[in-house]
Amino acid sequence: MQSRVVLILGGTSEARALATSLVAAGCIVTSSLAGRVRNPALPEGQVRIGGFGGVGGLEQYLRHTRPDAVVDATHPFAATISASAATVCARLRVPLVRLARPGWADHPDASAWVWVESMNDAAVAVQQRGLRVLLTTGRTTLAHFASLAKSFVLVRLVEPTADPLPVGWDVIYSRGPYTVSGEYQLMTSHRIDLLIAKDSGGSMTEPKLTAAAMLGVRVVMINRPASARGVPEVMTVPDATRWVISDARVIGGAGTDR
Ligand code: NAP
C-alpha cells in the first residue's frame, strides 16, 4: 500500500506523539506549527512553521501538498485554526479528524469549580469575588482580564507578552509539566485564593487543580470552545493513528475535486 501523506496541525504534546506514531506506521508526515514559541519541541517527520494566511492560505497549501488526511491536533482552545481546517477540508473533500485530549469535566473536584463559557465571563466571576488571582489562561487572553487591574493578579506565561501588563500584576514565566508540590508552593507564597484556568485537560497542567483543592483555592474554569460541526473527534493518539491508517474518509461521501 502506498504511504499515506498526512498533515498534522500541531502545537501540542499529543500532536508530537502522533507524528512519531504515524512516521513509525510508514506515513509521510508534515506537522504544522503556528510559530508562537521560540525553540519549539519539534516532532518527527517534516515540519512547517507559521500561519497559512487564513482560510485562503490553508486552501492553497492543501491544494499544493494534497494530503490524504489532516489531523487537527491543535490545543482544544485553538478555535480559529480548527474552524479554518474544517472549512477547507470540507471544501476540498480532504478527510479531517479532530484529536483533542479529554477535558477536566470528570475531575474529582470539577463540581466545586465555577464553570464559565468565556474569558470575559471568567473576569466577571472574579470581580464578584475580588480575590488574589492566579491567571493561567495564556498570553493571548490577557486583554479579557484588564478589568481586574485593581486586583492582585499573578500571570503565568510560557513566553513574554509584547503588551504591558497592568500595574500591580505580577508575572512568572514557565512551561509545564508542573508538579503538585510546585503548584502548592506557588499558590502559598503568593497567597493565591482564586485560580483561573481553561479546561485544557491533560496531566501536564493538572497539578494546579490538585494544589488548589488542597489549599481551598477557588477555581474558575473556562469551558472549551465548541468544536467544528461535522468533524469526527478522537481523544487519544492510538485512535488518531488508527483513523489515519484505516478510517480516514470524507464525511458525506468519497471522491475529491482537488
Ligand atoms: P488559533 O487562535 O486557533 O489560531 C490563530 C492563528 O494562528 C490561525 O488562524 C493560524 O493562522 C495560526 N495557527 C494556529 N495554529 C496553527 C498551526 N498548528 N499551524 C499553522 N498555523 C497555525 O490558535 P492559538 O490558540 O493562537 O494557538 C496557536 C498554536 O499554539 C496552536 O498550534 C495550538 O495548538 C498551540 N497552543 C495553543 C494553546 C492555547 O491555549 N490556545 C495552548 C498550547 C498550545 P492563519 O489563519 O494565518 O493560518
Side-chain angles (χ1 to χ4, degrees):
M1 187 178 129
Q2 226 188 345
S3 297
R4 312 220 82 196
V5 177
V6 185
L7 172 67
I8 300 174
L9 300 171
T12 59
S13 55
E14 290 81 8
R16 283 194 300 282
L18 179 64
T20 302
S21 171
L22 290 177
V23 167
C27 297
I28 299 169
V29 177
T30 300
S31 294
S32 175
L33 307 179
R36 293 282 193 280
V37 294
R38 286 168 293 145
N39 305 321
L42 292 178
E44 281 188 48
Q46 296 161 37
V47 178
R48 67 161 299 286
I49 297 181
F52 294 97
V55 166
L58 179 59
E59 179 168 345
Q60 247 184 354
Y61 179 86
L62 292 188
R63 282 187 186 280
H64 181 67
T65 54
R66 303 174 65 88
D68 297 305
V70 176
V71 182
D72 174 9
T74 57
H75 189 273
F77 278 77
T80 309
I81 189 70
S82 292
S84 295
T87 301
V88 175
C89 287
R91 192 178 289 163
L92 299 183
R93 303 183 66 71
V94 179
L96 168 69
V97 74
R98 176 71 165 124
L99 166 60
R101 61 181 94 122
W104 287 315
D106 293 332
H107 190 280
D109 303 314
S111 60
W113 305 334
V114 177
W115 287 83
V116 295
E117 293 305 315
S118 67
M119 303 288 161
N120 288 338
D121 288 352
V124 170
V126 176
Q127 276 178 335
Q128 286 164 355
R129 296 170 205 283
L131 304 167
R132 291 176 67 87
V133 176
L134 173 59
L135 182 60
T136 62
T137 51
R139 182 171 42 153
T140 58
T141 69
L142 298 182
H144 297 278
F145 297 97
S147 60
L148 305 185
K150 292 199 179 95
S151 308
F152 172 80
V153 179
L154 176 64
V155 184
R156 180 160 68 193
L157 300 176
V158 173
E159 296 205 343
T161 167
D163 305 318
L165 294 175
V167 177
W169 286 26
D170 223 338
V171 62
I172 46 168
Y173 300 104
S174 69
R175 189 190 299 246
Y178 299 100
T179 62
V180 173
S181 60
E183 299 293 57
Y184 188 98
Q185 160 73 23
L186 180 75
M187 290 183 200
T188 313
S189 61
H190 288 85
R191 292 183 289 117
I192 296 299
D193 38 26
L194 191 139
L195 165 68
I196 306 179
K198 300 185 292 200
D199 182 21
S200 299
S203 57
M204 285 187 10
T205 56
E206 192 272 343
K208 65 188 169 195
L209 303 172
T210 309
M214 290 163 75
L215 289 164
V217 166
R218 294 186 203 175
V219 176
V220 174
M221 184 64 72
I222 300 158
N223 259 318
R224 294 179 173 196
S227 35
R229 205 164 343 137
V231 178
E233 294 184 2
V234 292
M235 289 185 176
T236 67
V237 169
D239 283 349
T241 304
R242 211 167 299 124
W243 180 88
V244 168
I245 305 296
S246 48
D247 296 342
R249 61 184 60 86
V250 177
I251 298 295
T256 174
D257 61 4
R258 287 177 286 155

